[in-house]
Amino acid sequence: GQNIDQPTEMTATEGAIVQINCTYQTSGFNGLFWYQQHAGEAPTFLSYNVLDGLEEKGRFSSFLSRSKGYSYLLLKELQMKDSASYLCASGSGGYNKLIFGAGTRLAVHP
Amino acid sequence: ETGVTQTPRHLVMGMTNKKSLKCEQHLGHNAMYWYKQSAKKPLELMFVYNFKEQTENNSVPSRFSPECPNSSHLFLHLHTLQPEDSALYLCASSQDVGSEAFFGQGTRLTVV
């Protein structure tokens, strides 16, 4: 079956580092995506991992271990504007079919 | 100009109404998707179109009927919906496998 698990909520302090974990079980896996979604807005793409290891992009980094079915999104130097939901999605099969997790709602406080 | 545009942004309809949601992408992508986002639930894939051909129907009830006249436009025709169909309906497009999907702003649908 298809299953994506991530924590429902997290809180963190401005300027700190936070790691959001995601585990997945999907057939025809072709990559792991992270999206950010602010309340009332469309999801926006953050990162894509298809090979094991760490991908760094500015303050955000994403890690993938295919053998463990595990990924994490690392956010550094947190800012208030980073308060949002972070969606983990597994690419499955062809045509970039995405299976989404329920999202992790991150609250950044001063 | 946003890459993926959806209209209307908000829609309230009765259970006997017929309405359509529209999506247009200006990115030259080949694949387009409809997703449903309900409160506290994961985004659910509904339909996938690739080069105007439907390649996925994720067990969606027939009261939802998609139409893709060309690679840039996607419609979702709604007929005799139920209150539990109230949700945010998101359209997305992507170039191909391994590239990210770009989402529209969504249509907030309320069925009364």
Side-chain angles (χ1 to χ4, degrees):
Chain A
Q2 316 271 39
N3 196 42
I4 309 278
D5 285 317
Q6 52 181 131
T8 304
E9 293 184 349
M10 298 182 72
T11 59
T13 305
E14 194 174 14
I17 299 172
V18 71
Q19 178 174 313
I20 303 175
N21 296 322
C22 171
T23 57
Y24 65 89
Q25 288 178 309
T26 55
S27 59
F29 177 78
N30 62 26
L32 196 291
F33 296 79
W34 284 95
Y35 284 80
Q36 179 191 61
Q37 186 176 25
H38 285 99
E41 297 184 12
T44 55
F45 170 79
L46 289 178
S47 69
Y48 170 65
N49 295 67
V50 66
L51 300 177
D52 291 351
L54 188 68
E55 294 278 342
E56 297 189 71
K57 191 185 291 186
R59 293 190 299 115
F60 294 0
S61 302
S62 57
F63 172 84
L64 176 66
S65 169
R66 289 171 296 170
S67 62
K68 296 181 180 177
Y70 168 69
S71 173
Y72 67 72
L73 180 69
L74 192 71
L75 293 79
K76 304 176 186 174
E77 301 169 17
L78 280 172
Q79 303 174 8
M80 299 297 290
K81 67 178 182 179
D82 297 328
S83 294
S85 286
Y86 291 85
L87 311 178
C88 174
S90 170
S92 176
Y95 311 121
N96 200 19
K97 174 182 169 181
L98 296 178
I99 308 297
F100 281 86
T104 297
R105 198 159 48 251
L106 174 67
V108 179
H109 54 84
Chain B
E1 175 186 274
T2 57
V4 182
T5 305
Q6 289 187 244
T7 54
R9 292 293 306 277
H10 300 274
L11 178 63
V12 178
M13 61 184 288
M15 288 190 283
T16 58
N17 290 160
K18 288 184 182 180
K19 296 286 184 183
S20 296
L21 310 185
K22 179 183 176 182
C23 176
E24 184 175 359
Q25 58 101 355
H26 310 277
L27 302 168
H29 289 165
N30 298 318
M32 296 186 76
Y33 314 81
W34 280 116
Y35 281 88
K36 176 184 178 182
Q37 189 172 37
S38 304
K40 301 189 187 301
K41 286 187 175 181
L43 273 164
E44 300 171 53
L45 178 66
M46 299 175 73
F47 300 104
V48 181
Y49 277 82
N50 191 56
F51 291 99
K52 303 186 300 178
E53 298 298 321
Q54 187 181 124
T55 57
E56 187 89 22
N57 176 338
N58 208 27
S59 303
V60 180
S62 60
R63 58 185 184 270
F64 295 91
S65 174
E67 179 190 0
C68 187
N70 54 60
S71 294
S72 299
H73 293 86
L74 186 64
F75 296 89
L76 188 63
H77 303 301
L78 315 173
H79 177 49
T80 59
L81 295 192
Q82 305 298 312
E84 59 265 29
D85 296 322
S86 299
L88 180 68
Y89 288 85
L90 288 161
C91 173
S93 72
S94 67
Q95 182 59 43
D96 52 27
V97 173
S99 60
E100 67 267 28
F102 291 80
F103 285 84
Q105 293 292 90
T107 296
R108 174 69 61 186
L109 173 68
T110 304
V111 181
V112 297

